[in-house]
Amino acid sequence: GLQKHQQEEQLRRSSGQEGLRVISVSRLDRDTSGVLVAATSPEAADHLTEQFKNHEVFKEYVALASGRVAPATGEVNARLFISGFSEKYRAYVSPKGKEACTHYKVLAHFTKRNSDPGKVGVDVSCPPPQAGASLQGDELGTQILQYLNRCPARARTQQPQAGESESYSLVACYPITGRTHQIRAHLQWRGHPLVADANYNPRGQVKQQFQWCPRLFLHCRRTRLKDCSGNELAIEAPLLPDLAQALTFLQEQQDSESGPVAAVEEQLEAATLKQSTPLPAEERLGVDLSAAA
């Protein structure tokens, strides 16, 4: 949750080299943890920035989404438009937005008993528009409806009744593009907002989630890029303790003798990296996700 200059200062201190120049070439959303790429010279910064600009950097995030994400693997390909100002901005699916594509793979499904159904499980998505629907006198509204008619129908988050369980999905996300709030907005549009995301969840729902998850459950697990010599670099950041602790409040849906965190470790280790060279976009779902805890 640090601003850019704060992130650079933190990287400078962690290097242990007094006076080292640090140039941030990537960013993380507020309250998102994980890998943050920086350079120590203008030449390196230009080299790395060009890779991000050309979508040549492989990024792997771990997110906990509300509901049961289906299918287990797939992609969300929908343009995103940024609206708002300062810390109040949000990303919306819109035909006037920029191209955005996110691949994903479900790692595990979890449940949590719903003790207060009046405050959680709110339906956060709207039904798909009727075919041929239009808005009289609203050209932009008509364009949006036409655009949504061409996109896959979104899942709906059902409101659990008293005593029912809330469903959650641990998802590995691979953004092909790098739009602001891309993973958060794409999954919310599909009806699966991320846990503890105050921007994309109803207020009552996120308030309940903050009781067991202290912040947005989104973590950049791995980044893969090339240095100035052309050598591939794989940078990893294990899941931080606060997010790993949040998983202990959930129960893995498949039978397992181990607890939730251990079950996640097994699931993450099950996917094996078969190639050391960068993978084409359509093959990026088969990468290695090593232990999260």
Side-chain angles (χ1 to χ4, degrees), residues 4-49:
K4 182 177 179 179
H5 69 278
Q6 295 174 311
Q7 294 172 338
E8 292 177 354
E9 179 59 29
Q10 188 177 70
L11 290 170
R12 188 178 297 108
R13 290 197 305 268
S14 65
S15 70
Q17 301 181 38
E18 189 69 26
L20 178 68
R21 183 180 183 183
V22 175
I23 307 171
S24 178
V25 296
S26 66
R27 57 179 173 75
L28 295 174
D29 291 345
R30 180 177 294 274
D31 293 331
T32 300
S33 56
V35 176
L36 183 67
V37 180
T40 56
S41 71
E43 294 77 16
D46 292 341
H47 176 74
L48 295 173
T49 299

Side-chain angles (χ1 to χ4, degrees), residues 195-217:
V195 167
D197 190 343
N199 277 40
Y200 296 92
N201 273 296
R203 182 178 300 179
Q205 180 166 312
V206 76
K207 183 179 180 181
Q208 290 293 312
Q209 292 173 349
F210 277 140
Q211 294 179 7
W212 55 274
C213 185
R215 63 174 172 90
L216 171 68
F217 200 118

Side-chain angles (χ1 to χ4, degrees), residues 63 88 90 161 226 254:
K88 300 296 183 180
R90 285 185 46 168
Q161 302 300 314
K226 292 185 177 181
Q254 295 180 353

